[in-house]
Amino acid sequence: MASHTAADSATGYLYQCRYALYAALSRQGDEPGLMVSVETYDDVAFTQNGAAVELIQTKHSRTTKQLNDFSPQFWNTVGIWIKHLKDHPEELGRTALMLVATATVGEDTGLSMLRPEGQGRDIGAAHRKLVAAAAASKNQDVEWAVDAFLKLDAAAQRQVLDMVAVLDASPNIVDVREEIRRVLRHSARPEHLDHLIDRLEGWWFGVMTGALSRKGGREIPVSEIDAKLHDLREQFGPLQLPIDYAGVDPSAEIVSALKERTFVDQLKEIQVGDTGIRRAIVDYFRAFNQRSIWVRQGLLNGDELGQFGKRLIEAWERRWGIAERKLRNGASDDDLVEAGTGVYDWACNCNICLRRVEEPFLTQGTFHLLANKKRIGWHPDYKNRVALKAGQGDDDDDPALV
């Protein structure tokens, strides 16, 4: 029973966060200065110029039980709103009060008459039914809220109810995702839209985690969501690609495993230090995973990665031709190391774009992927001095990263 309650509570919080994103996306660009928050003024709230313009109570339910005029979910909500309006009397008659419920409300109830205009809204009839229900209520759990409502005079009761809109049969936590999909349907190609939404929600849930962990919460400008969406639209356009691994570091276990790779042996041949090797492992890790995501999600055109690798090899060959001269002249080991270091130094400062992606880890990491297969190298004699280890002939199949 306890785990069931915990699951319901967790689902409720996730629903609030996802619904807040959906509601904000539905309002994007319409109201400059609009802010959205969760668990500050209400479950979800929109404010503007420091005043609440819309308070939303979300009631997510996994059951099909209908709401009626005696439902605690409704009266607790009304009690919270009345308390808020007493604290902020300037919002009376101005702030929209939305009850968003996944359950349906019974027909011919006061709640059903608080639905939006065009759906049977009748404030007078709703008032009569809800006053009668409040007077007849015996539920001690909502006694405080019912009393708060009945202590208002009739005009004030009607004024509060006139601010309320009941949105029953609202999309549940799964269906809200479909509503977000509908709002964003023109933001990316159909086959990429879910990947865009995944990244937007991932970013949003991170923002929400930070906001909810801050004392008093945090209001987020709706324009911040617009800006993130704008970035994602560009990343899913024909000239860009989404970047997921720019700030991701490998675990200690993965670093330990990657130290055994051929590309690390290549670096040791030119005496790269621990810091340089650590940097190379991170670039290899990020490039490998980012390329894998692009492939899995079908974001690339044809042999785009193959062509990108070919461009890097051709650039390396131009620089490598200079280093080869030292090998032909029978140079000392120190001279060979110095020549290889020069090639690697050039590679570390080389940034070749894939489309318009300029992330250094992509170029550097792909160089290491190629070095791991010995398609390129750093020491002038790398073909003889570095062994290609078993199972490292395919850069799409590193056992430490799959």
Side-chain angles (χ1 to χ4, degrees), residues 76 146 229 238 296 365:
N76 276 324
V146 168
L229 181 58
R296 288 199 306 273

Side-chain angles (χ1 to χ4, degrees), residues 187-345:
S187 298
R189 291 166 56 181
E191 65 269 30
H192 298 161
L193 186 54
D194 281 329
H195 302 314
L196 181 147
I197 295 173
D198 286 344
R199 287 168 172 83
L200 181 63
E201 283 202 322
W203 167 81
W204 177 245
F205 287 138
V207 170
M208 284 289 91
T209 300
L212 290 169
S213 62
R214 181 184 297 185
K215 186 177 181 181
R218 177 196 166 212
E219 294 180 77
I220 295 102
V222 172
S223 60
E224 194 172 314
I225 301 172
D226 292 346
K228 181 63 180 179
L229 181 58
H230 178 77
D231 287 346
L232 288 172
R233 283 184 178 128
E234 287 198 342
Q235 290 180 21
F236 281 88
L239 301 178
Q240 288 283 356
L241 285 164
I243 298 298
D244 306 286
Y245 272 84
V248 181
D249 289 333
S251 66
E253 291 75 14
I254 289 177
V255 170
S256 178
L258 294 183
K259 283 182 177 177
E260 304 303 318
R261 294 292 180 267
T262 296
F263 79 91
V264 174
D265 292 344
Q266 294 241 32
L267 297 174
K268 289 178 178 176
E269 286 295 331
I270 56 170
Q271 301 175 9
V272 173
D274 291 344
T275 301
I277 288 177
R278 165 73 188 182
R279 184 71 260 161
I281 287 173
V282 171
D283 288 338
Y284 175 94
F285 166 82
R286 291 177 179 174
F288 179 95
N289 284 289
Q290 189 62 71
R291 291 160 56 107
S292 297
I293 286 180
W294 289 340
V295 171
R296 288 199 306 273
Q297 297 186 349
L299 299 175
L300 299 167
N301 300 322
D303 187 30
E304 208 167 5
L305 281 182
Q307 293 301 313
F308 178 62
K310 184 178 179 182
R311 289 168 57 206
L312 265 62
I313 291 174
E314 290 177 351
W316 170 84
E317 285 175 341
R318 294 184 189 100
R319 184 62 182 80
W320 179 254
I322 300 172
E324 275 184 322
R325 178 175 56 83
K326 303 218 173 187
L327 186 61
R328 285 202 304 270
N329 291 340
S332 66
D333 285 347
D334 287 346
D335 288 339
L336 294 177
V337 169
E338 183 179 350
T341 301
V343 177
Y344 187 60
D345 179 64

